[in-house]
Amino acid sequence: MNTRAKLILILLALVSSMMSGSRLRSTKASPVASDLKRMQFQIATIREHAGERTIISSSVIEGPPGTDFDIDIQGERFKMNAKFLTDFDQSNVLAIRAKLQTRRLYGYSPQGLPLYEEDEQSPALRLGLDEDIILLPFGRGSGEDRLKIEITPAMTEEPVYSPSGELRPLTINILKISPDGIVNIRASKIPHHYEAEARLLEDGREIARASANLLFEEAQELLLRSDTQAIAVKLKINEFIRSRPSDQVAINFDIHRADKSGNTREPVGLNWSGVARLGADINYDLSERYAKKYELRFNIKIAKGEIVD
Amino acid sequence: MARQNDEFISIFNEIYPNLCRFLECLIGERASAQDVAQESFLRLYRFGLYRLPSGEARFWLYRVARNLALNELEKRRTRAKHSERVIETFTNTPPNPEEAFAQSERRQKVLELMESLPEDQRAALLLREQEEMSYSQIARVLNVSESKVKSDIFRARSSLRARWNEMSDRAARTS
Amino acid sequence: MSCNFTEKLSPMMDGELEREEAEQVKLHLSSCLICQQAQLDFLNLREQIKSHPYEPDASAQRQAIKRILRSEQTPFWQRKITLPVPVFSLMMLALFAFVAWSVYSRVTRPGATVPVGNYAYQDGLDLSRFDKGGRAVIYTTKR
């Protein structure tokens, strides 16, 4: 290898070591299994035209398993937000819950007001690490020009926690910037797995209890049976809110009165919501719907084994 | 993976010879034509044959091959400019029409005819006559409108017709 | 000598004319010597182009498919880099300047974050060229 080539290689190695990603958050956390490795998502926005592929933008997100990311495309007449909640389980399967929201300027009303065409999809995907996710924001199309987003997951060799026990920070490396800022990538790591406990109290005395494991943004039913009655609570965690002294979650739930077997539902309260501090009780008074004083009490914690920041 | 390879090999064997023929007439040289053909198939292999709808591979290949051929032609134009200057320095005798026609008889007639056409007319005519593609298929491969394909093919034919007749007339006068 | 119909002979030979128009051209052909000669010449050219002698090179074909399936590539470190000296010097200078700036910015801005969303404006990309009103599609595919 000649001197010039050696020099170039050394300089490139130096430059790439400088171009490390952002440090968003870094707090001490309890270390989990040291063999847990970080995941990587390569996100490339590609134009396919006349048999040629042109990369418009490219980014690499790196973080612990369960890292979520958003891809936003913003044009003059079109807007898309694609949200990806990822979970990686021990069987080497990546479970992704995607939420695609698109908004397109359709035209103008007779009064000159803009009319929009909106669409929302929530597909669930399961894939191995030898597969890619392909997102076509404008569909498969029949023309020569197509915009495609390729998401390539991979497992890195880097452990999730540093030797000191700190969670390594999430990084986003922007390898190629999209023109006019049309494509934006965001990443975050929030807990996905929770343990929820619901208790029914009659005049301050607990008469029924149920618990369940909850997955972020997925509703789960808890059936609380007492001697005389049963209520079914369909609970969902909508949002994780970083806060001090402790983090919070926004919840949403429906309450139905059920017979002892859990069937024959009669709505008691629909679409109730609230913000609960993790590990602390949150109460809902059901008294106006019943003769006695009844309370529904929730306590939500992050599930064991969940990677916390 | 093995099944994908089998499909790819089948497509390769079916299309490769005709693609080489098209490229040889387009570029004017066999070795470059084979290189470009190989590169086109390599790109298809990396892109993934399974990503294309059935029957689309042929048009995809011709499109990519033609774009690669344009690059090759550009390189050769640059090299030719340099080599022409060298030739002028050492050879002061300009070629005469009779000698040119005699030379053309020794060279492959079609290659010389094709060389006289602008590249876009050349590509359109070759795809029509050798590959028997329709105007709409040619338009997709060359990424132009159908009306341009129609006009290019007519102009190519007219131009070649005039050139052919001119050469024949000269040959008749000298014989 | 020329005729207005000559131009239509070309698409007619290729089967690209509408039936009615093709009938008109055929009718004209029966009485126009100019067009008859043109058609003969066009057909002769077609024969010449189609019969261009091409013998497939079987050995080259076999080599080509082998190389493709192996997808041999010259390793990066074995590739030659050919640059004129002034261009190379400018590139090195620019690289040094960038490295120096990176070091300086890290020293003076502790905990600097990657500017997510802070994109420079470059060549514009018009999204409308892709938008034919289709619905977004998402799927998985094996690599």
Side-chain angles (χ1 to χ4, degrees):
Chain A
M1 188 189 294
N2 62 34
T3 315
R4 184 189 286 181
K6 279 184 196 167
L7 200 60
I8 291 168
L9 274 174
I10 291 166
L11 283 167
L12 280 172
L14 205 59
V15 165
S16 64
S17 72
M18 296 291 172
M19 284 174 64
S20 59
S22 68
R23 295 193 161 264
L24 297 174
R25 219 176 161 90
S26 175
T27 57
K28 287 228 181 276
S30 51
V32 290
S34 57
D35 56 355
L36 207 57
K37 301 280 190 259
R38 274 158 71 87
M39 282 208 73
Q40 189 185 74
F41 294 95
Q42 293 177 43
I43 301 171
T45 309
I46 293 160
R47 178 190 176 198
E48 289 183 335
H49 173 63
E52 296 288 310
R53 281 161 58 91
T54 311
I55 296 180
I56 294 167
S57 74
S58 176
S59 303
V60 177
I61 295 169
E62 209 172 285
T67 295
D68 305 325
F69 54 92
D70 283 54
I71 302 171
D72 293 332
I73 292 181
Q74 176 82 54
E76 275 186 32
R77 301 167 65 93
F78 179 85
K79 188 172 155 181
M80 181 190 83
N81 167 252
K83 193 178 184 63
F84 296 85
L85 295 175
T86 79
D87 287 281
F88 189 71
D89 65 28
Q90 299 308 313
S91 61
N92 275 0
V93 170
L94 190 62
I96 293 191
R97 289 171 290 151
K99 192 170 179 182
L100 311 177
Q101 290 175 310
T102 58
R103 192 169 185 240
R104 180 188 272 122
L105 180 66
Y106 186 74
Y108 292 89
S109 68
Q111 290 76 33
L113 297 170
L115 299 171
Y116 290 96
E117 182 186 72
E118 294 183 350
D119 186 30
E120 193 172 302
Q121 303 178 58
S122 300
L125 308 165
R126 290 180 68 81
L127 60 154
L129 291 177
D130 60 342
E131 291 176 273
D132 288 351
I133 299 168
I134 306 293
L135 168 59
L136 305 172
F138 301 98
R140 291 180 198 273
S142 55
E144 290 289 308
D145 235 347
R146 193 163 78 164
L147 189 72
K148 179 194 251 192
I149 297 175
E150 287 179 358
I151 302 163
T152 305
M155 194 58 85
T156 70
E157 289 303 306
E158 204 176 37
V160 165
Y161 289 95
S162 66
S164 62
E166 275 193 23
L167 185 70
R168 286 184 206 276
L170 210 59
T171 62
I172 305 176
N173 279 329
I174 301 164
L175 305 176
K176 185 172 179 184
I177 296 172
S178 66
D180 290 345
I182 278 172
V183 181
N184 282 278
I185 310 285
R186 286 172 285 133
S188 59
K189 172 71 188 85
I190 59 169
H192 286 174
H193 299 270
Y194 299 85
E195 288 165 358
E197 189 181 72
R199 283 178 284 162
L200 185 63
L201 289 90
E202 186 188 79
D203 292 332
R205 187 176 55 90
E206 187 187 308
I207 59 167
R209 180 190 285 216
S211 58
N213 293 326
L214 247 65
L215 189 59
F216 185 70
E217 281 202 7
E218 269 195 17
Q220 181 70 35
E221 189 169 274
L222 294 94
L223 190 62
L224 293 103
R225 282 199 191 90
S226 70
D227 295 330
T228 51
Q229 61 189 309
I231 62 166
V233 178
K234 201 168 185 182
L235 176 66
K236 185 162 96 164
I237 296 174
N238 288 335
E239 201 183 332
F240 174 79
I241 305 160
R242 293 191 192 278
S243 178
R244 290 290 177 265
S246 60
D247 295 330
Q248 298 171 323
V249 287
I251 60 173
N252 181 273
F253 57 96
D254 298 337
I255 308 170
H256 285 81
R257 186 183 298 145
D259 62 16
K260 279 293 201 68
S261 57
N263 301 324
T264 319
R265 306 293 174 91
E266 184 197 321
V268 171
L270 295 176
N271 207 23
W272 287 19
S273 59
V275 176
R277 205 168 288 283
L278 286 175
D281 289 343
I282 182 170
N283 286 350
Y284 289 86
D285 190 357
L286 306 178
S287 299
E288 66 182 69
R289 284 151 182 84
Y290 293 88
K292 294 184 179 180
K293 183 173 166 57
Y294 285 97
E295 284 175 288
L296 182 61
R297 188 173 287 178
F298 293 113
N299 193 301
I300 300 169
K301 294 176 192 152
I302 295 177
K304 290 185 189 60
E306 177 66 52
I307 297 166
V308 288
D309 186 1
Chain B
M1 183 71 174
R3 191 165 150 257
Q4 283 174 8
N5 268 2
D6 286 344
E7 271 182 57
F8 180 83
I9 292 168
S10 166
I11 297 267
F12 176 87
N13 288 334
E14 184 192 326
I15 298 177
Y16 180 84
N18 284 353
L19 189 65
C20 282
R21 180 182 63 171
F22 165 71
L23 287 167
E24 185 180 280
C25 294
L26 194 62
I27 300 173
E29 192 191 74
R30 172 166 283 215
S32 301
Q34 287 173 346
D35 286 344
V36 169
Q38 182 182 308
E39 178 61 28
S40 309
F41 275 100
L42 182 62
R43 289 195 184 196
L44 175 63
Y45 187 69
R46 286 188 185 144
F47 177 75
L49 182 61
Y50 63 91
R51 288 185 176 178
L52 293 171
S54 163
E56 191 60 26
R58 181 175 172 234
F59 303 111
W60 193 97
L61 278 164
Y62 274 89
R63 194 183 304 130
V64 167
R66 187 263 181 148
N67 289 337
L68 290 171
L70 283 178
N71 296 340
E72 184 58 35
L73 284 169
E74 191 50 48
K75 274 188 233 167
R76 294 176 82 216
R77 263 193 285 273
T78 312
R79 284 201 293 269
K81 275 187 206 156
H82 293 305
S83 60
E84 269 169 20
R85 277 192 227 123
V86 171
I87 289 167
E88 273 171 20
T89 310
F90 291 100
T91 319
N92 285 326
T93 317
N96 57 53
E98 290 79 18
E99 194 176 310
F101 187 69
Q103 280 178 359
S104 81
E105 281 191 307
R106 288 193 292 274
R107 289 173 62 191
Q108 291 178 22
K109 280 183 206 163
V110 169
L111 291 184
E112 179 164 297
L113 280 175
M114 288 295 126
E115 262 183 346
S116 69
L117 291 175
E119 189 281 327
D120 47 358
Q121 289 180 18
R122 198 187 312 166
L125 187 65
L126 286 169
L127 289 173
R128 177 56 225 141
E129 304 294 34
Q130 286 183 344
E131 300 306 316
E132 295 179 357
M133 287 190 192
S134 68
Y135 285 8
S136 77
Q137 287 169 341
I138 296 171
R140 271 167 59 200
V141 168
L142 301 182
N143 196 31
V144 297
S145 66
E146 271 187 53
S147 57
K148 177 156 165 55
V149 169
K150 183 174 162 186
S151 144
D152 278 347
I153 289 175
F154 171 66
R155 281 188 197 153
R157 283 174 173 152
S158 303
S159 170
L160 289 184
R161 178 192 180 205
R163 190 169 163 78
W164 182 272
N165 290 339
E166 191 185 294
M167 281 179 159
S168 301
D169 288 345
R170 280 204 191 116
R173 279 201 302 273
T174 56
S175 64
Chain C
M1 287 207 293
S2 65
C3 172
N4 291 339
F5 270 86
T6 311
E7 192 170 339
K8 292 190 183 173
L9 286 176
S10 178
M12 191 187 79
M13 274 169 64
D14 301 331
E16 296 279 348
L17 276 189
E18 295 293 328
R19 200 164 63 93
E20 273 179 32
E21 209 177 354
E23 292 298 322
Q24 279 177 8
V25 173
K26 277 183 195 159
L27 193 62
H28 169 83
L29 254 181
S30 60
S31 57
C32 175
L33 291 173
I34 297 170
C35 286
Q36 282 171 21
Q37 187 56 52
Q39 191 188 41
L40 274 171
D41 290 343
F42 288 166
L43 287 170
N44 172 46
L45 281 168
R46 171 175 282 178
E47 265 317 299
Q48 295 294 327
I49 295 169
K50 275 181 111 154
S51 63
H52 166 68
Y54 181 82
E55 290 95 34
D57 187 341
S59 157
Q61 187 167 336
R62 274 195 303 273
Q63 288 300 320
I65 188 66
K66 274 187 195 162
R67 278 193 207 116
I68 290 165
L69 293 178
R70 269 194 310 236
S71 285
E72 284 173 11
Q73 274 201 351
T74 318
F76 169 74
W77 55 89
Q78 285 179 5
R79 289 190 193 166
K80 287 185 192 168
I81 304 167
T82 317
L83 286 171
V85 170
V87 173
F88 179 74
S89 310
L90 270 169
M91 275 176 62
M92 289 297 109
L93 214 60
L95 215 46
F96 271 120
F98 176 72
V99 167
W101 172 81
S102 293
V103 170
Y104 172 75
S105 65
R106 286 192 80 80
V107 165
T108 57
R109 282 193 300 135
T113 58
V114 168
V116 175
N118 180 24
Y119 294 102
Y121 278 58
Q122 296 170 9
D123 305 326
L125 178 70
D126 182 17
L127 288 180
S128 61
R129 76 179 73 174
F130 308 112
D131 193 0
K132 303 287 181 277
R135 200 183 185 208
V137 164
I138 187 166
Y139 58 93
T140 60
T141 180
K142 271 225 183 293
R143 249 172 264 147

